[in-house]
Amino acid sequence: MTKILAGDLDTHVQRLPPTVPVDGEAPVVVFIHGLLTDSLASYYFTLGPAFAAAGVDVVMYDLRGHGKSDRPATGYQLERFVADLVALLDAMEITRPVHLVGNSFGGSIAFGLAAAHPDRVATVIAIEAEPPVRAWTVRMAEGLDLAKSQLTQDAVIDWIAVNNGRHTARLSRAAGRLLQVTSMLEDIPVSDTISDDLSAIRCPVLAIFGADSGLSRQVPYFESYLSSCRTVVLPDQGHSVLIERTDETRDAILGWVRDHALGRVG
Amino acid sequence: MSVDTTAPVTGGQVTEDTVLAEISGMLRVLLDEYGLDDVEITMDTRFHEDLELESIDLVSLSADLKERYGDEVNFAEFIAGFELEEIIAMTVGQLVDHVVVSLREAARG
């Protein structure tokens, strides 16, 4: 297993170099997973190999507290996740701007990094994600409160096992534990935010939503405020875009990276 | 069980038994992290249901396979064709068969 010390955090990283010849430098795409039940496996078994096969230098990693990266008891404000990624890029000696693919909370990290370090980011690809504005912190507080109250109850876990299968039940129980043993619930709602006018995001943004997820309501907001934005809304789809609509997500992002790459991608 | 993981892998020596022994060794190291080091592992053992491994553990296993067998065995590519439910239901035997076939094909050149 590949662990890289990024800042003070032992970070589990899987890098897939391009498997085809590339003219010039291969574009680097960093994949950022979501909160609680998620890990880099969500990309490793979906988009990762296809991107490497298309000539992309693929970086996937486990966020702090998740997967096989370190799980400190405290320090889960969004800016800590952003700093972790900067430290990881530094440790891997990746200095040129990268494309950030972020799923759900991972997309908020991508926006946060684009705002804090515009020189490190070529484009942001946000899958079912919100920028870290003040209203986002309120919704995160509500969602995390609900998750902690529900996922720490055996009856709820049993219900999930019956209705969603044992795998999801096990992940849900682990998510409940994560909220009990860390200060994530307290930290995320007090994260640094960016201004509602999104002026801090200056790079091009591709935003992908499921039409039936509440998050797709952001489309007009993104299109009015972001200086360069393309939105894709998948019909008949909820929040699990990456897992349930993998092929369409892959094609949309690969096309986007090709359009925005300095080197040519196969 | 001790497995000489430094021995070169060639097509002629590849059998189901040797590959199962090697993969069992990798799985024991993974399971040891969870304090489960004496589980019986057979061709029918299921990664998730029997060993309680999560998808992130399969990522680690994939890295171990690559280290042992090189590029001849591409686990990520192998399971890229599976649905998530199929990955979860996968048995050790399915992986052993994939490794044996891949190594024999590579040896045939």
Side-chain angles (χ1 to χ4, degrees):
Chain A
M1 185 166 36
T2 314
K3 291 275 189 82
I4 293 179
L5 189 64
D8 56 358
L9 197 81
D10 216 10
T11 306
H12 175 213
V13 180
Q14 293 287 335
R15 186 172 190 173
L16 306 178
T19 55
V20 291
V22 182
D23 281 354
E25 284 185 310
V28 179
V29 179
V30 180
F31 292 87
I32 314 168
H33 67 75
L35 211 55
L36 296 179
T37 56
D38 215 355
S39 73
L40 73 81
S42 296
Y43 291 115
Y44 194 89
F45 297 125
T46 57
L47 305 181
F51 275 65
V56 168
D57 189 354
V58 172
V59 177
M60 298 167 284
Y61 71 107
D62 282 332
L63 296 174
R64 58 170 53 218
H66 295 71
K68 297 197 178 283
S69 288
D70 275 353
R71 175 177 292 186
T74 58
Y76 290 91
Q77 298 86 348
L78 187 82
E79 57 270 24
R80 299 297 296 269
F81 290 94
V82 168
D84 288 342
L85 180 47
V86 173
L88 180 64
L89 293 172
D90 288 345
M92 297 178 82
E93 296 179 352
I94 298 172
T95 51
R96 61 213 160 90
V98 299
H99 302 274
L100 298 174
V101 175
N103 185 34
S104 196
F105 180 76
S108 303
I109 298 173
F111 282 123
L113 179 53
H117 300 277
D119 55 316
R120 305 300 291 263
V121 183
T123 73
V124 165
I125 298 103
I127 306 169
E128 277 287 305
E130 292 181 80
V133 294
R134 187 161 301 282
W136 168 81
T137 62
V138 176
R139 276 190 291 276
M140 289 303 290
E142 290 167 358
L144 289 168
D145 264 331
L146 184 68
K148 187 174 182 183
S149 67
Q150 297 286 309
L151 300 180
T152 49
Q153 290 181 44
D154 287 344
V156 173
I157 300 297
D158 291 345
W159 186 91
I160 292 172
V162 171
N163 290 277
N164 303 90
R166 285 178 55 189
H167 181 245
T168 307
R170 211 171 276 160
L171 289 175
S172 302
R173 189 186 297 280
R177 261 199 308 270
L178 185 58
L179 289 170
Q180 283 177 313
V181 301
T182 69
S183 59
M184 214 175 274
L185 175 65
E186 293 76 25
D187 292 348
I188 289 177
V190 297
S191 296
D192 290 347
T193 56
I194 63 171
S195 161
D196 284 343
D197 66 10
L198 305 182
S199 57
I201 312 290
R202 298 201 293 273
C203 68
V205 174
L206 170 64
I208 305 174
F209 298 103
D212 301 341
S213 133
L215 294 176
S216 62
R217 284 199 294 264
Q218 294 179 100
V219 166
Y221 172 49
F222 277 24
E223 289 179 343
S224 339
Y225 286 94
L226 287 169
S227 51
S228 170
C229 177
R230 186 192 298 171
T231 54
V232 174
V233 179
L234 299 171
D236 303 316
Q237 179 60 50
H239 187 56
S240 298
V241 165
L242 175 62
I243 300 299
E244 292 170 7
R245 301 291 275 273
T246 302
D247 292 355
E248 287 153 281
T249 304
R250 176 198 63 215
D251 292 348
I253 302 175
L254 266 180
W256 172 267
V257 171
R258 280 193 190 103
D259 290 350
H260 292 86
L262 297 175
R264 216 175 52 213
V265 187
Chain B
M1 192 180 330
S2 92
V3 177
D4 180 8
T5 52
T6 57
V9 188
T10 62
Q13 302 170 337
V14 175
T15 66
E16 191 181 289
D17 287 346
T18 54
V19 172
L20 175 62
E22 291 187 349
I23 289 178
S24 299
M26 296 171 194
L27 286 170
R28 285 213 167 74
V29 173
L30 269 178
L31 290 166
D32 195 36
E33 285 179 36
Y34 300 105
L36 298 164
D37 49 1
D38 55 353
V39 187
E40 192 196 2
I41 297 171
T42 71
M43 290 291 276
D44 297 324
T45 303
R46 290 163 300 179
F47 287 106
H48 182 70
E49 207 67 11
D50 299 321
L51 301 179
E52 305 212 350
L53 293 178
E54 303 298 353
S55 45
I56 191 65
D57 298 307
L58 296 183
V59 173
S60 304
L61 178 63
S62 173
D64 293 343
L65 290 168
K66 190 167 186 156
E67 199 170 296
R68 174 67 183 125
Y69 303 114
D71 292 330
E72 316 296 357
V73 176
N74 192 329
F75 185 55
E77 219 165 72
F78 171 56
I79 61 174
F82 287 22
E83 295 291 326
L84 199 63
E85 289 77 19
E86 295 175 303
I87 295 172
I88 289 165
M90 198 166 57
T91 63
V92 172
Q94 279 174 283
L95 177 60
V96 168
D97 289 342
H98 168 68
V99 170
V100 170
V101 168
S102 300
L103 293 177
R104 284 186 182 153
E105 272 172 10
R108 223 173 280 135

PDB file of all heavy atoms in Angstrom, chain B residues 57-82:
ATOM      1  N   ASP B  57     -10.246  -2.073   1.070  1.00  0.00           N
ATOM      2  CA  ASP B  57      -9.302  -3.178   1.272  1.00  0.00           C
ATOM      3  C   ASP B  57      -8.941  -3.831  -0.060  1.00  0.00           C
ATOM      4  O   ASP B  57      -7.825  -4.302  -0.255  1.00  0.00           O
ATOM      5  CB  ASP B  57      -9.904  -4.231   2.207  1.00  0.00           C
ATOM      6  CG  ASP B  57     -10.194  -3.653   3.584  1.00  0.00           C
ATOM      7  OD1 ASP B  57      -9.283  -3.076   4.174  1.00  0.00           O
ATOM      8  OD2 ASP B  57     -11.340  -3.782   4.055  1.00  0.00           O
ATOM      9  N   LEU B  58      -9.920  -3.870  -0.979  1.00  0.00           N
ATOM     10  CA  LEU B  58      -9.647  -4.442  -2.295  1.00  0.00           C
ATOM     11  C   LEU B  58      -8.663  -3.566  -3.072  1.00  0.00           C
ATOM     12  O   LEU B  58      -7.908  -4.056  -3.905  1.00  0.00           O
ATOM     13  CB  LEU B  58     -10.945  -4.633  -3.088  1.00  0.00           C
ATOM     14  CG  LEU B  58     -11.942  -5.628  -2.480  1.00  0.00           C
ATOM     15  CD1 LEU B  58     -13.161  -5.787  -3.395  1.00  0.00           C
ATOM     16  CD2 LEU B  58     -11.308  -6.980  -2.229  1.00  0.00           C
ATOM     17  N   VAL B  59      -8.666  -2.264  -2.789  1.00  0.00           N
ATOM     18  CA  VAL B  59      -7.668  -1.377  -3.403  1.00  0.00           C
ATOM     19  C   VAL B  59      -6.272  -1.787  -2.924  1.00  0.00           C
ATOM     20  O   VAL B  59      -5.331  -1.906  -3.717  1.00  0.00           O
ATOM     21  CB  VAL B  59      -7.949   0.100  -3.062  1.00  0.00           C
ATOM     22  CG1 VAL B  59      -6.817   0.985  -3.562  1.00  0.00           C
ATOM     23  CG2 VAL B  59      -9.279   0.542  -3.666  1.00  0.00           C
ATOM     24  N   SER B  60      -6.138  -2.031  -1.618  1.00  0.00           N
ATOM     25  CA  SER B  60      -4.845  -2.456  -1.062  1.00  0.00           C
ATOM     26  C   SER B  60      -4.417  -3.787  -1.665  1.00  0.00           C
ATOM     27  O   SER B  60      -3.256  -3.978  -2.035  1.00  0.00           O
ATOM     28  CB  SER B  60      -4.927  -2.637   0.456  1.00  0.00           C
ATOM     29  OG  SER B  60      -5.380  -1.474   1.057  1.00  0.00           O
ATOM     30  N   LEU B  61      -5.379  -4.704  -1.773  1.00  0.00           N
ATOM     31  CA  LEU B  61      -5.073  -6.021  -2.339  1.00  0.00           C
ATOM     32  C   LEU B  61      -4.586  -5.873  -3.780  1.00  0.00           C
ATOM     33  O   LEU B  61      -3.643  -6.538  -4.200  1.00  0.00           O
ATOM     34  CB  LEU B  61      -6.324  -6.906  -2.286  1.00  0.00           C
ATOM     35  CG  LEU B  61      -6.182  -8.306  -2.884  1.00  0.00           C
ATOM     36  CD1 LEU B  61      -5.147  -9.119  -2.118  1.00  0.00           C
ATOM     37  CD2 LEU B  61      -7.522  -9.032  -2.898  1.00  0.00           C
ATOM     38  N   SER B  62      -5.229  -4.962  -4.508  1.00  0.00           N
ATOM     39  CA  SER B  62      -4.855  -4.717  -5.893  1.00  0.00           C
ATOM     40  C   SER B  62      -3.403  -4.253  -5.995  1.00  0.00           C
ATOM     41  O   SER B  62      -2.647  -4.695  -6.868  1.00  0.00           O
ATOM     42  CB  SER B  62      -5.804  -3.667  -6.456  1.00  0.00           C
ATOM     43  OG  SER B  62      -5.391  -3.274  -7.717  1.00  0.00           O
ATOM     44  N   ALA B  63      -2.996  -3.380  -5.069  1.00  0.00           N
ATOM     45  CA  ALA B  63      -1.612  -2.893  -5.047  1.00  0.00           C
ATOM     46  C   ALA B  63      -0.658  -4.049  -4.717  1.00  0.00           C
ATOM     47  O   ALA B  63       0.421  -4.159  -5.304  1.00  0.00           O
ATOM     48  CB  ALA B  63      -1.472  -1.764  -4.033  1.00  0.00           C
ATOM     49  N   ASP B  64      -1.068  -4.927  -3.790  1.00  0.00           N
ATOM     50  CA  ASP B  64      -0.247  -6.099  -3.448  1.00  0.00           C
ATOM     51  C   ASP B  64      -0.072  -7.017  -4.661  1.00  0.00           C
ATOM     52  O   ASP B  64       1.009  -7.548  -4.909  1.00  0.00           O
ATOM     53  CB  ASP B  64      -0.906  -6.914  -2.321  1.00  0.00           C
ATOM     54  CG  ASP B  64      -0.939  -6.161  -0.997  1.00  0.00           C
ATOM     55  OD1 ASP B  64      -0.180  -5.183  -0.866  1.00  0.00           O
ATOM     56  OD2 ASP B  64      -1.726  -6.543  -0.125  1.00  0.00           O
ATOM     57  N   LEU B  65      -1.164  -7.220  -5.410  1.00  0.00           N
ATOM     58  CA  LEU B  65      -1.124  -8.092  -6.591  1.00  0.00           C
ATOM     59  C   LEU B  65      -0.165  -7.535  -7.625  1.00  0.00           C
ATOM     60  O   LEU B  65       0.606  -8.260  -8.244  1.00  0.00           O
ATOM     61  CB  LEU B  65      -2.526  -8.219  -7.208  1.00  0.00           C
ATOM     62  CG  LEU B  65      -3.554  -9.004  -6.401  1.00  0.00           C
ATOM     63  CD1 LEU B  65      -4.952  -8.797  -6.980  1.00  0.00           C
ATOM     64  CD2 LEU B  65      -3.208 -10.489  -6.385  1.00  0.00           C
ATOM     65  N   LYS B  66      -0.217  -6.220  -7.782  1.00  0.00           N
ATOM     66  CA  LYS B  66       0.645  -5.572  -8.782  1.00  0.00           C
ATOM     67  C   LYS B  66       2.111  -5.729  -8.385  1.00  0.00           C
ATOM     68  O   LYS B  66       2.971  -5.992  -9.229  1.00  0.00           O
ATOM     69  CB  LYS B  66       0.271  -4.095  -8.889  1.00  0.00           C
ATOM     70  CG  LYS B  66       0.935  -3.416 -10.053  1.00  0.00           C
ATOM     71  CD  LYS B  66       0.332  -2.063 -10.331  1.00  0.00           C
ATOM     72  CE  LYS B  66       0.962  -1.523 -11.594  1.00  0.00           C
ATOM     73  NZ  LYS B  66       0.156  -0.556 -12.273  1.00  0.00           N
ATOM     74  N   GLU B  67       2.382  -5.581  -7.081  1.00  0.00           N
ATOM     75  CA  GLU B  67       3.751  -5.720  -6.591  1.00  0.00           C
ATOM     76  C   GLU B  67       4.257  -7.145  -6.832  1.00  0.00           C
ATOM     77  O   GLU B  67       5.407  -7.359  -7.195  1.00  0.00           O
ATOM     78  CB  GLU B  67       3.762  -5.408  -5.097  1.00  0.00           C
ATOM     79  CG  GLU B  67       5.122  -5.073  -4.548  1.00  0.00           C
ATOM     80  CD  GLU B  67       4.983  -4.550  -3.136  1.00  0.00           C
ATOM     81  OE1 GLU B  67       4.373  -3.482  -2.941  1.00  0.00           O
ATOM     82  OE2 GLU B  67       5.467  -5.242  -2.230  1.00  0.00           O
ATOM     83  N   ARG B  68       3.390  -8.127  -6.633  1.00  0.00           N
ATOM     84  CA  ARG B  68       3.786  -9.529  -6.736  1.00  0.00           C
ATOM     85  C   ARG B  68       3.890  -9.986  -8.194  1.00  0.00           C
ATOM     86  O   ARG B  68       4.827 -10.659  -8.580  1.00  0.00           O
ATOM     87  CB  ARG B  68       2.766 -10.397  -5.976  1.00  0.00           C
ATOM     88  CG  ARG B  68       2.972 -11.885  -6.121  1.00  0.00           C
ATOM     89  CD  ARG B  68       4.268 -12.342  -5.456  1.00  0.00           C
ATOM     90  NE  ARG B  68       4.514 -13.762  -5.651  1.00  0.00           N
ATOM     91  CZ  ARG B  68       5.636 -14.251  -6.178  1.00  0.00           C
ATOM     92  NH1 ARG B  68       6.604 -13.444  -6.551  1.00  0.00           N
ATOM     93  NH2 ARG B  68       5.794 -15.546  -6.306  1.00  0.00           N
ATOM     94  N   TYR B  69       2.886  -9.638  -8.976  1.00  0.00           N
ATOM     95  CA  TYR B  69       2.789 -10.212 -10.326  1.00  0.00           C
ATOM     96  C   TYR B  69       3.110  -9.222 -11.440  1.00  0.00           C
ATOM     97  O   TYR B  69       3.114  -9.604 -12.605  1.00  0.00           O
ATOM     98  CB  TYR B  69       1.379 -10.790 -10.553  1.00  0.00           C
ATOM     99  CG  TYR B  69       0.976 -11.840  -9.548  1.00  0.00           C
ATOM    100  CD1 TYR B  69      -0.062 -11.598  -8.655  1.00  0.00           C
ATOM    101  CD2 TYR B  69       1.636 -13.063  -9.488  1.00  0.00           C
ATOM    102  CE1 TYR B  69      -0.436 -12.566  -7.724  1.00  0.00           C
ATOM    103  CE2 TYR B  69       1.277 -14.031  -8.552  1.00  0.00           C
ATOM    104  CZ  TYR B  69       0.232 -13.780  -7.679  1.00  0.00           C
ATOM    105  OH  TYR B  69      -0.129 -14.712  -6.757  1.00  0.00           O
ATOM    106  N   GLY B  70       3.344  -7.956 -11.098  1.00  0.00           N
ATOM    107  CA  GLY B  70       3.657  -6.962 -12.124  1.00  0.00           C
ATOM    108  C   GLY B  70       2.434  -6.613 -12.949  1.00  0.00           C
ATOM    109  O   GLY B  70       1.299  -6.859 -12.544  1.00  0.00           O
ATOM    110  N   ASP B  71       2.705  -6.056 -14.121  1.00  0.00           N
ATOM    111  CA  ASP B  71       1.612  -5.541 -14.945  1.00  0.00           C
ATOM    112  C   ASP B  71       0.794  -6.634 -15.628  1.00  0.00           C
ATOM    113  O   ASP B  71      -0.219  -6.351 -16.262  1.00  0.00           O
ATOM    114  CB  ASP B  71       2.152  -4.566 -16.003  1.00  0.00           C
ATOM    115  CG  ASP B  71       2.681  -3.301 -15.350  1.00  0.00           C
ATOM    116  OD1 ASP B  71       2.154  -2.933 -14.279  1.00  0.00           O
ATOM    117  OD2 ASP B  71       3.634  -2.706 -15.888  1.00  0.00           O
ATOM    118  N   GLU B  72       1.283  -7.901 -15.520  1.00  0.00           N
ATOM    119  CA  GLU B  72       0.538  -9.000 -16.167  1.00  0.00           C
ATOM    120  C   GLU B  72      -0.854  -9.147 -15.556  1.00  0.00           C
ATOM    121  O   GLU B  72      -1.788  -9.613 -16.201  1.00  0.00           O
ATOM    122  CB  GLU B  72       1.270 -10.345 -15.995  1.00  0.00           C
ATOM    123  CG  GLU B  72       2.776 -10.318 -16.224  1.00  0.00           C
ATOM    124  CD  GLU B  72       3.128  -9.953 -17.648  1.00  0.00           C
ATOM    125  OE1 GLU B  72       2.202  -9.791 -18.451  1.00  0.00           O
ATOM    126  OE2 GLU B  72       4.329  -9.814 -17.938  1.00  0.00           O
ATOM    127  N   VAL B  73      -0.963  -8.797 -14.276  1.00  0.00           N
ATOM    128  CA  VAL B  73      -2.238  -8.951 -13.584  1.00  0.00           C
ATOM    129  C   VAL B  73      -2.782  -7.559 -13.253  1.00  0.00           C
ATOM    130  O   VAL B  73      -2.210  -6.843 -12.440  1.00  0.00           O
ATOM    131  CB  VAL B  73      -2.075  -9.759 -12.280  1.00  0.00           C
ATOM    132  CG1 VAL B  73      -3.396  -9.829 -11.538  1.00  0.00           C
ATOM    133  CG2 VAL B  73      -1.557 -11.152 -12.581  1.00  0.00           C
ATOM    134  N   ASN B  74      -3.831  -7.158 -13.957  1.00  0.00           N
ATOM    135  CA  ASN B  74      -4.387  -5.816 -13.719  1.00  0.00           C
ATOM    136  C   ASN B  74      -5.764  -5.949 -13.066  1.00  0.00           C
ATOM    137  O   ASN B  74      -6.781  -6.075 -13.730  1.00  0.00           O
ATOM    138  CB  ASN B  74      -4.467  -5.043 -15.035  1.00  0.00           C
ATOM    139  CG  ASN B  74      -4.748  -3.570 -14.783  1.00  0.00           C
ATOM    140  OD1 ASN B  74      -5.412  -3.211 -13.807  1.00  0.00           O
ATOM    141  ND2 ASN B  74      -4.240  -2.726 -15.658  1.00  0.00           N
ATOM    142  N   PHE B  75      -5.747  -5.926 -11.742  1.00  0.00           N
ATOM    143  CA  PHE B  75      -6.960  -6.134 -10.960  1.00  0.00           C
ATOM    144  C   PHE B  75      -7.974  -5.021 -11.198  1.00  0.00           C
ATOM    145  O   PHE B  75      -9.168  -5.273 -11.370  1.00  0.00           O
ATOM    146  CB  PHE B  75      -6.568  -6.201  -9.480  1.00  0.00           C
ATOM    147  CG  PHE B  75      -7.698  -6.533  -8.542  1.00  0.00           C
ATOM    148  CD1 PHE B  75      -8.458  -7.675  -8.734  1.00  0.00           C
ATOM    149  CD2 PHE B  75      -7.976  -5.726  -7.460  1.00  0.00           C
ATOM    150  CE1 PHE B  75      -9.487  -7.997  -7.851  1.00  0.00           C
ATOM    151  CE2 PHE B  75      -9.001  -6.039  -6.576  1.00  0.00           C
ATOM    152  CZ  PHE B  75      -9.753  -7.173  -6.781  1.00  0.00           C
ATOM    153  N   ALA B  76      -7.484  -3.769 -11.250  1.00  0.00           N
ATOM    154  CA  ALA B  76      -8.389  -2.632 -11.442  1.00  0.00           C
ATOM    155  C   ALA B  76      -9.150  -2.791 -12.759  1.00  0.00           C
ATOM    156  O   ALA B  76     -10.355  -2.562 -12.828  1.00  0.00           O
ATOM    157  CB  ALA B  76      -7.617  -1.321 -11.414  1.00  0.00           C
ATOM    158  N   GLU B  77      -8.411  -3.197 -13.809  1.00  0.00           N
ATOM    159  CA  GLU B  77      -9.035  -3.380 -15.119  1.00  0.00           C
ATOM    160  C   GLU B  77     -10.017  -4.563 -15.088  1.00  0.00           C
ATOM    161  O   GLU B  77     -11.102  -4.502 -15.644  1.00  0.00           O
ATOM    162  CB  GLU B  77      -7.950  -3.650 -16.154  1.00  0.00           C
ATOM    163  CG  GLU B  77      -8.182  -2.999 -17.487  1.00  0.00           C
ATOM    164  CD  GLU B  77      -6.903  -3.008 -18.298  1.00  0.00           C
ATOM    165  OE1 GLU B  77      -6.523  -4.100 -18.766  1.00  0.00           O
ATOM    166  OE2 GLU B  77      -6.280  -1.929 -18.430  1.00  0.00           O
ATOM    167  N   PHE B  78      -9.597  -5.636 -14.384  1.00  0.00           N
ATOM    168  CA  PHE B  78     -10.423  -6.840 -14.268  1.00  0.00           C
ATOM    169  C   PHE B  78     -11.780  -6.498 -13.667  1.00  0.00           C
ATOM    170  O   PHE B  78     -12.828  -6.892 -14.184  1.00  0.00           O
ATOM    171  CB  PHE B  78      -9.678  -7.859 -13.396  1.00  0.00           C
ATOM    172  CG  PHE B  78     -10.479  -9.080 -12.997  1.00  0.00           C
ATOM    173  CD1 PHE B  78     -11.078  -9.907 -13.953  1.00  0.00           C
ATOM    174  CD2 PHE B  78     -10.607  -9.426 -11.654  1.00  0.00           C
ATOM    175  CE1 PHE B  78     -11.781 -11.030 -13.573  1.00  0.00           C
ATOM    176  CE2 PHE B  78     -11.321 -10.555 -11.275  1.00  0.00           C
ATOM    177  CZ  PHE B  78     -11.908 -11.356 -12.225  1.00  0.00           C
ATOM    178  N   ILE B  79     -11.771  -5.715 -12.594  1.00  0.00           N
ATOM    179  CA  ILE B  79     -13.057  -5.469 -11.945  1.00  0.00           C
ATOM    180  C   ILE B  79     -13.741  -4.201 -12.445  1.00  0.00           C
ATOM    181  O   ILE B  79     -14.875  -3.945 -12.076  1.00  0.00           O
ATOM    182  CB  ILE B  79     -12.966  -5.454 -10.413  1.00  0.00           C
ATOM    183  CG1 ILE B  79     -12.055  -4.369  -9.934  1.00  0.00           C
ATOM    184  CG2 ILE B  79     -12.536  -6.779  -9.875  1.00  0.00           C
ATOM    185  CD1 ILE B  79     -12.122  -4.303  -8.444  1.00  0.00           C
ATOM    186  N   ALA B  80     -13.074  -3.465 -13.346  1.00  0.00           N
ATOM    187  CA  ALA B  80     -13.736  -2.293 -13.926  1.00  0.00           C
ATOM    188  C   ALA B  80     -14.986  -2.723 -14.697  1.00  0.00           C
ATOM    189  O   ALA B  80     -15.930  -1.962 -14.843  1.00  0.00           O
ATOM    190  CB  ALA B  80     -12.782  -1.524 -14.833  1.00  0.00           C
ATOM    191  N   GLY B  81     -14.987  -3.981 -15.171  1.00  0.00           N
ATOM    192  CA  GLY B  81     -16.149  -4.469 -15.912  1.00  0.00           C
ATOM    193  C   GLY B  81     -17.275  -4.975 -15.025  1.00  0.00           C
ATOM    194  O   GLY B  81     -18.312  -5.377 -15.534  1.00  0.00           O
ATOM    195  N   PHE B  82     -17.062  -4.957 -13.696  1.00  0.00           N
ATOM    196  CA  PHE B  82     -18.074  -5.473 -12.770  1.00  0.00           C
ATOM    197  C   PHE B  82     -18.945  -4.342 -12.233  1.00  0.00           C
ATOM    198  O   PHE B  82     -18.478  -3.226 -12.061  1.00  0.00           O
ATOM    199  CB  PHE B  82     -17.406  -6.127 -11.549  1.00  0.00           C
ATOM    200  CG  PHE B  82     -16.747  -7.456 -11.815  1.00  0.00           C
ATOM    201  CD1 PHE B  82     -16.353  -7.836 -13.085  1.00  0.00           C
ATOM    202  CD2 PHE B  82     -16.502  -8.331 -10.764  1.00  0.00           C
ATOM    203  CE1 PHE B  82     -15.736  -9.052 -13.307  1.00  0.00           C
ATOM    204  CE2 PHE B  82     -15.877  -9.550 -10.981  1.00  0.00           C
ATOM    205  CZ  PHE B  82     -15.496  -9.914 -12.248  1.00  0.00           C
TER     206      PHE B  82
END
